[in-house]
Amino acid sequence: ELGKPQRNCYTLPGFDFSYGLYIHGTDGGVPAAIGHWNTGKSGNGLVQKMPRDYITMNCDAVKAGYTTAHEFNLYYKAKDIRCNVNYRRFKRCSPKIPADMTFGITTRPSTPFFDLLQHKYKELWMEQQRARTAAERMGKKKKDGVSETRTTLLRKHPLPAKEESFWHLPRLEKVGPHLSTFPDGDAPKKAFSA
């Protein structure tokens, strides 16, 4: 158009045009939605290819007489052995949940308005403060008395007497006598028993 600015917009379609995407076969509109539920089929998602079982393939290759890396690669291509289904240490299956279990966070208990109106929390706090001040006073009274020293404690509770034991060299513990001055074999037993 001569003498007019250029339009930077598009012309819209008519009133009979419907926007959106129509899927043939699955979209039945409101009657289809009310009539039945199209639920997704549960699957394992992407089916992963099991990893190769190199331990078994290496053992079989050695038994067959292959020793070089090139021979091993050829053997891997010829006999492709995969791991068992239970190769994972931890299975990804969902845990067994009881049927009557409810999910979510439990509701908070209701606020005790009766305790708030009676100022019960203030009274509890005051009792705690009184108990703490009483405990501090008792501690101060105990500190004001005569403090006990090690000497006074030892006078009240003396240490047990130490049993005196003679020390012997360990290498001389099991040495027998070299000289016996007893007249016969029973004489040492009689002497030690007395």
Side-chain angles (χ1 to χ4, degrees):
E1 294 174 338
L2 188 63
K4 292 184 180 179
Q6 187 179 6
R7 295 180 182 179
N8 56 357
C9 59
Y10 299 102
T11 57
L12 296 175
F15 291 106
D16 58 343
F17 182 79
S18 58
Y19 293 93
L21 194 66
Y22 183 79
I23 302 170
H24 295 281
T26 58
D27 190 10
V30 177
I34 293 173
H36 65 278
W37 291 95
N38 286 330
T39 57
K41 294 178 182 177
S42 63
N44 295 339
L46 298 172
V47 178
Q48 294 181 352
K49 199 173 183 182
M50 295 296 168
R52 284 182 166 181
D53 192 0
Y54 285 102
I55 297 171
T56 309
M57 286 194 293
N58 288 345
C59 292
D60 293 344
V62 171
K63 287 177 185 174
Y66 299 123
T67 53
T68 62
H70 181 66
E71 291 172 345
F72 270 83
N73 285 332
L74 292 174
Y75 186 82
Y76 293 159
K77 289 176 184 175
K79 294 192 177 179
D80 190 17
I81 301 171
R82 299 286 173 170
C83 289
N84 292 335
V85 178
N86 299 327
Y87 76 97
R88 286 185 180 166
R89 188 173 174 188
F90 301 107
K91 296 181 181 177
R92 286 192 178 180
C93 61
S94 59
K96 293 181 180 178
I97 300 167
D100 58 344
M101 183 173 179
T102 314
F103 292 94
I105 302 169
T106 56
T107 55
R108 213 176 64 172
S110 60
T111 307
F113 284 103
F114 195 68
D115 294 343
L116 289 174
L117 293 174
Q118 285 187 333
H119 302 289
K120 190 172 184 180
Y121 296 108
K122 184 189 94 170
E123 295 298 327
L124 288 172
W125 183 79
M126 292 294 287
E127 286 178 13
Q128 289 174 357
Q129 295 300 320
R130 288 184 198 118
R132 189 162 64 176
T133 53
E136 287 176 1
R137 284 182 193 154
M138 292 297 290
K140 284 182 181 178
K141 284 181 182 177
K142 285 182 180 178
K143 287 181 182 177
D144 292 342
V146 179
S147 60
E148 294 186 353
T149 60
R150 182 168 172 79
T151 309
T152 55
L153 286 173
L154 286 175
R155 282 182 191 151
K156 289 180 183 176
H157 311 287
L159 292 173
K162 219 178 196 181
E163 293 183 10
E164 193 171 332
S165 63
F166 296 104
W167 182 78
H168 300 287
L169 284 171
R171 60 191 170 138
L172 300 178
E173 286 282 329
K174 297 179 181 177
V175 176
H178 292 287
L179 184 64
S180 179
T181 56
F182 291 102
D184 58 350
D186 295 333
K189 291 179 184 176
K190 290 178 183 174
F192 285 124
S193 63

